[in-house]
């Protein structure tokens, strides 16, 4: 996939997410959505159970599972359908996608440059705090822009390939 196409897709996803940010801030009722909506509709657990074709106990279990956030999507959809409702599901980043990428890029850049900085100190090359900050920002921007797998790697990123292993001497 070309970078241009990737940038366009990122922007389109961001536009869709913008509509969901308001919902992401919406707090779940302490009793859970199923029970809250069921009660608002004036529906008993027995009535919901009949509409879902399950037992009353099963409805109580689903409501309890939702309260502790362990209900399955299938059970939520089944309950919603029985109440003429929809389940709305989305994963909404904290901030924009670009902000998430930039934060992760900064983490990786700091890890990488801390390792490089330590090696440079051993060689008596010291980089000042303002220069280090500039390097962190530049590397973070580059990593965020490239969106490579290295951005999310557990190991610090490398900006240059490692040297080849030494060749053994002929005997």
């Amino acid at each position: 996939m070309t970078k241009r196409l990737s940038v366009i897709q990122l922007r389109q996803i961001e536009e869709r997410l913008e509509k969901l940010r308001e919902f992401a801030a919406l707090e779940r009722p302490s009793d859970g959505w199923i029970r809250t909506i069921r009660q608002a509709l004036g529906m008993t657990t027995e009535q919901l159970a009949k509409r879902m074709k399950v037992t009353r106990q099963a409805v109580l279990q689903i409501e309890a599972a939702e309260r502790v956030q362990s209900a399955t999507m299938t059970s939520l959809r089944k309950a919603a359908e029985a109440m003429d409702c929809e389940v709305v599901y989305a994963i909404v980043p904290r901030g924009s996608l670009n902000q998430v990428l930039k934060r992760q890029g900064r983490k990786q850049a700091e890890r990488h440059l801390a390792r490089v900085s330590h090696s440079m100190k051993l060689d008596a090359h010291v980089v000042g705090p303002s220069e280090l900050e500039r390097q962190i920002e530049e590397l973070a921007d580059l990593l965020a822009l490239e969106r490579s797998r290295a951005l999310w790697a557990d190991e610090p990123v490398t900006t240059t390939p490692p040297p080849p292993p030494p060749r053994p001497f002929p005997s």
Side-chain angles (χ1 to χ4, degrees):
M1 175 185 320
T2 67
K3 286 293 175 194
R4 178 72 183 140
L5 182 58
S6 184
V7 168
I8 291 169
Q9 287 177 328
L10 188 70
R11 187 175 345 113
Q12 289 172 339
I13 292 168
E14 192 63 51
E15 287 170 4
R16 292 172 67 189
L17 287 170
E18 193 56 41
K19 297 172 185 172
L20 298 172
R21 293 199 196 289
E22 185 177 326
F23 293 106
L26 187 63
E27 288 189 38
R28 185 175 43 87
S30 59
D31 282 342
W33 285 109
I34 296 171
R35 184 172 184 183
T36 300
I37 297 298
R38 177 181 59 74
Q39 289 177 337
L41 293 172
M43 189 183 292
T44 66
T45 51
E46 292 83 4
Q47 290 167 328
L48 179 56
K50 186 175 180 180
R51 294 174 66 92
M52 291 176 67
K53 296 180 174 74
V54 297
T55 65
R56 178 181 178 278
Q57 185 60 33
V59 169
L60 293 173
Q61 288 173 343
I62 292 168
E63 289 180 350
E66 184 197 3
R67 276 194 301 280
V68 296
Q69 299 181 29
S70 65
T72 65
M73 291 296 292
T74 302
S75 64
L76 292 174
R77 282 192 182 107
K78 193 172 181 179
E81 180 66 29
M83 295 185 291
D84 196 22
C85 295
E86 295 286 333
V87 173
V88 178
Y89 169 81
I91 295 175
V92 182
R94 296 178 186 107
S96 71
L97 290 169
N98 284 321
Q99 288 170 332
V100 172
L101 290 167
K102 180 76 183 228
R103 280 192 300 268
Q104 185 63 24
R106 182 168 182 88
K107 285 179 190 175
Q108 288 289 37
E110 286 171 347
R111 287 172 62 189
H112 173 71
L113 292 173
R115 200 177 78 215
V116 170
S117 178
H118 176 70
S119 298
M120 290 177 69
K121 284 178 187 173
L122 294 175
D123 292 337
H125 297 289
V126 179
V127 175
S130 62
E131 175 60 18
L132 182 60
E133 180 59 29
R134 186 186 66 74
Q135 290 177 8
I136 289 171
E137 286 298 315
E138 285 179 3
L139 183 54
D141 287 342
L142 178 66
L143 291 168
L145 181 65
E146 288 179 350
R147 281 180 273 148
S148 73
R149 290 186 179 134
L151 185 63
W152 300 99
D154 291 335
E155 296 298 316
V157 297
T158 56
T159 54
T160 57
R167 285 191 242 164
F169 289 106
S171 342

